[in-house]
Amino acid sequence: HVVRRCLAKDPDERWQSASDVMRELSWISKEGSAASVVSSVQVSRKTGKRLALGVVAGTVLGALLASIAWNVRPEAQPPALSRLDMVLPPGQHLTGLGLTRHNVALSPDGTRLVYSANDQLYLRKMAEPEATPIPGTDSARSVFFSPDGESVGFWSQGGKLKKVSISGGASLTLCDAGVVWGASWGLDDTIVYGQSPEGILRVSANGGTPEVLIGAEGHRFRQPEILPGGKAILFTAAASDGSWGDRAQIRVQLLETGAQRVLVQGGTDARYVPTGHLVYSLAGSLLAVPFDLDRLEVTGGPVPLLESVMTIGTLGAAQFSFSRNGSLVYVAGSASLPESALVSVDRQGVARPLIETLRFYSLPRFSPDGQRVALTIGAAGGRDIWIYELVRGTLTRLTFEGGSYPELAPVWWTS
């Protein structure tokens, strides 16, 4: 009740002063309440074509999770909450949101934000109004901070895992990496990352030859996170047929023994928070479950925390990040890949719709004679190749296997 009043959209419905909040908390602690239960919290946000990032700073995440775990004590001070809606500058757009990459990262101390836009990384100090580009980060994806917050790692579309100091200097290549699906930098200066179809790999933060840490064995493993203590890895798993979203699993594996267990059935992209919870994504919402770090067990049911967080539902990556002090940054938006029309553009830049029906079109390829277009239709794990006849305006299905990118990219061949 207190948290909802603090976050009410209408200013007249909010507490008018910190003393009002303190009196309410004192009454709860003395009279007793269902303070250990929290309902879904709706956080207001602005809308706009260029709006990309919402930042909830202070200790809002800690406040929400604390209300799940324990009653407020009389001497406890209410956390100072602040909120920032950040609009990217004109002409700047977040990179590749249609792919399962992490494009925002908050530093461990919550003072700096790095995001990928226009195919490079930008650094925003939270105490300053403007973001500045980080040199040497062309085609950067899957961004993540070092534990000390002084460097960021990222994957380049050239197939390289790299790192760069936020204070400046050239980026350094750590290793060759096919396609990286999430990464985490541990206190022991090792980096783990997901790479299909190999599984979860590990490499030194100083560079070297990567090794397979957790073999996929018929599954797709993504979005790994090194848990505190460095003895276990948290990650998302799904069958190789692309069954992500509510059919995916959040798993944990002990590095010493290789013992693995399922923590959450139906959910992706989990992160551990210091309050003793896992926060994960499901259908565009963030949920939290209590988690025993020593026993590596979930000890309670999920509680919704935040809605409308950009998540590629069929692929599992959620665009959010938070710091150790409880600050949270996320990209607000749809929980699924956007459907689109298929259009052609002539040499004068005039666009003409070919197929106006909105579907998941991708990878169009003209035939050598320019009379047909081969393309894929469908979401990840369920794409098939279709042929569009330009003259007749007909669309014919060619395959029925329901394959997935990149294995299903059509290529015209002539003898």
Side-chain angles (χ1 to χ4, degrees), residues 84-209:
L84 164 70
D85 283 335
M86 191 177 97
V87 179
L88 297 185
Q92 195 178 108
H93 305 278
L94 291 180
T95 302
L97 285 180
L99 297 174
T100 178
R101 312 279 195 273
H102 293 145
N103 284 344
V104 295
L106 198 57
S107 64
D109 62 4
T111 62
R112 287 163 291 191
L113 170 69
V114 170
Y115 61 91
S116 177
N118 294 22
D119 277 326
Q120 75 173 105
L121 296 184
Y122 287 79
L123 171 66
R124 163 78 183 271
K125 295 180 180 180
M126 304 309 292
E128 298 179 1
E130 301 294 335
T132 58
I134 302 177
T137 58
D138 296 341
S139 301
R141 309 285 197 280
S142 295
V143 60
F144 54 100
F145 263 97
S146 62
D148 62 7
E150 296 302 318
S151 300
V152 291
F154 63 95
W155 175 74
S156 169
Q157 272 199 308
K160 307 289 184 181
L161 190 66
K162 299 182 177 183
K163 71 175 182 179
V164 64
S165 171
I166 61 172
S167 60
S171 62
L172 301 176
T173 298
L174 304 180
C175 65
D176 293 329
V179 179
V180 170
W181 312 104
S184 177
W185 194 325
L187 289 172
D188 61 350
D189 234 15
T190 62
I191 295 171
V192 299
Y193 59 94
Q195 178 174 292
S196 296
E198 289 84 356
I200 306 297
L201 280 69
R202 174 171 59 188
V203 69
S204 169
N206 296 315
T209 302

Side-chain angles (χ1 to χ4, degrees), residues 14 17 57 81 90 98 152 166 171 197 218 239 282 286 296 300-301 327 384:
R14 301 181 200 139
S17 68
L81 305 180
V152 291
I166 61 172
S171 62
L282 180 62
L286 296 185
L296 299 179
S327 295
D384 278 294

